[in-house]
Amino acid sequence: MALWDRIKESASGMQTQLVAKKNDLKSGAFRDASMAMCALVAAADGSIDPAERQRVAQLIATNEVLQNFDAADLQRRFDDNLNKLTADFAFGKVTVLQEIAKAKKKPAEARAVIQIGIVIGGADGDFDKAEQAIVREACFALDLPPHEFDL
């Protein structure tokens, strides 16, 4: 199987798992950590262009699991996290990882946050090394073993 197909299959599988848990993923910590994860993956290479920002914003708006929350509120949280990352990536990353770590009290939510990162990272068919590395860092922030997610 080609790498492209494995990435698509993995992201699709993660999305299916997320939808199955949708009713359990309604906390503020999950919402905040998910938006932090989306921003971190979008800015994984240290920058974000307007097209990438728009693509991720569209994914957030249409993701079935995230429909538990107000779309405008999600967009605002995503933009706030992106602004922190674009102002000073190193400092912003520390702040955003702290936001992600809020979800570690509930293992199902923590895993779902990582799965969202993988779904966002793989959405363009290229879950690249920078995106994988940033999701791996988020695993550590959530006390989850990266190998559980093939990272």
Side-chain angles (χ1 to χ4, degrees):
M1 182 183 301
L3 178 62
W4 165 262
D5 292 330
R6 283 201 317 270
I7 290 168
K8 285 194 316 190
E9 188 175 293
S10 176
S12 176
M14 294 288 176
Q15 181 61 28
T16 301
Q17 290 173 26
L18 284 168
V19 171
K21 296 182 224 161
K22 179 180 178 180
N23 292 331
D24 299 328
L25 304 173
K26 295 183 177 180
S27 77
F30 171 72
R31 175 202 61 215
D32 296 351
S34 295
M35 291 306 94
M37 175 61 86
C38 289
L40 197 58
V41 171
D45 62 0
S47 67
I48 182 163
D49 61 54
E52 188 174 20
R53 180 187 284 251
Q54 182 58 40
R55 182 177 51 79
V56 175
Q58 182 64 30
L59 286 167
I60 291 167
T62 59
N63 185 290
E64 189 174 341
V65 175
L66 296 174
Q67 289 176 2
N68 284 333
F69 307 103
D70 177 68
D73 183 45
L74 292 177
Q75 183 68 47
R76 184 187 57 75
R77 291 172 192 280
F78 171 67
D79 288 339
D80 287 349
N81 284 307
L82 268 184
N83 291 338
K84 290 173 190 168
L85 291 164
T86 54
D88 180 341
F89 185 76
F91 184 71
K93 185 168 92 166
V94 170
T95 306
V96 171
L97 283 169
Q98 288 173 340
E99 197 72 21
I100 289 170
K102 289 180 181 179
K104 75 177 166 183
K105 292 181 181 121
K106 294 183 180 176
E109 289 185 357
R111 282 181 178 77
V113 168
I114 297 300
Q115 290 171 324
I116 283 176
I118 293 168
V119 168
I120 295 294
D124 62 357
D126 181 26
F127 189 39
D128 65 39
K129 296 254 185 254
E131 292 167 335
Q132 291 176 32
I134 213 82
V135 174
R136 195 175 307 110
E137 283 187 61
C139 284
F140 294 126
L142 291 165
D143 294 333
L144 294 172
H147 70 271
E148 183 179 325
F149 304 94
D150 295 326
L151 296 171

